[in-house]
Amino acid sequence: MKQRHFWLSLAFSFIGIPAMFAQTSKSVTFEITNIPVIQGKVLLSIEKGLYYGMKDVTSSAVEMKLDSVPNGKYTVYVFHDTNNNWQLDKECEIPTEYCAIEQIEVQEDNRKFSIGLVDIRKQIQDKRK
């Protein structure tokens, strides 16, 4: 009887019973839309670099997948780096490249997000009118 319990315990440990008690870390997919020109890269960062990704721009929308992102609430920073200098260009502290900041909540059934880039300069001009 003890030997059967031993073998059952050993079998369950190999098939993932411990994983039932751990928080899962799976990939998260982002669709980045409203990319103004087909050049440069899209850079995305979660929680100021905790998770990050980069994708060449080949159309007005790109899809990016980040692996091993656990469930939780995050701030996502994304921008279109048109000139490939790896930074969000600004003029008088106002971004000159399309960008976005989004709050997301990653859950088991919510692992795909769509983020539209915006032209901050245009938004400011529209508010002044």
Side-chain angles (χ1 to χ4, degrees), residues 10 17 27 31 38 45-46 53 62 66-67 74 78 85 87 91 107 111:
L10 187 62
I17 294 299
S27 64
E31 179 187 32
I38 301 174
S45 173
I46 298 177
V62 298
L66 300 181
D67 293 327
Y74 300 101
V78 60
N85 68 349
Q87 61 186 7
E91 191 174 281
Q107 300 172 338
R111 303 193 77 76

Side-chain angles (χ1 to χ4, degrees), residues 7-64:
W7 288 111
L8 282 173
S9 298
L10 187 62
F12 283 130
S13 68
F14 284 114
I15 61 172
I17 294 299
M20 288 177 23
F21 301 104
Q23 183 181 10
T24 58
S25 292
K26 298 179 184 174
S27 64
V28 175
T29 304
F30 294 92
E31 179 187 32
I32 311 303
T33 61
N34 197 34
I35 300 170
V37 292
I38 301 174
Q39 71 183 48
K41 299 181 182 323
V42 169
L43 286 89
L44 182 142
S45 173
I46 298 177
E47 294 299 322
K48 297 187 179 178
L50 184 61
Y51 305 96
Y52 56 90
M54 172 193 68
K55 189 85 172 213
D56 288 328
V57 174
T58 56
S59 69
S60 62
V62 298
E63 190 171 280
M64 191 178 309

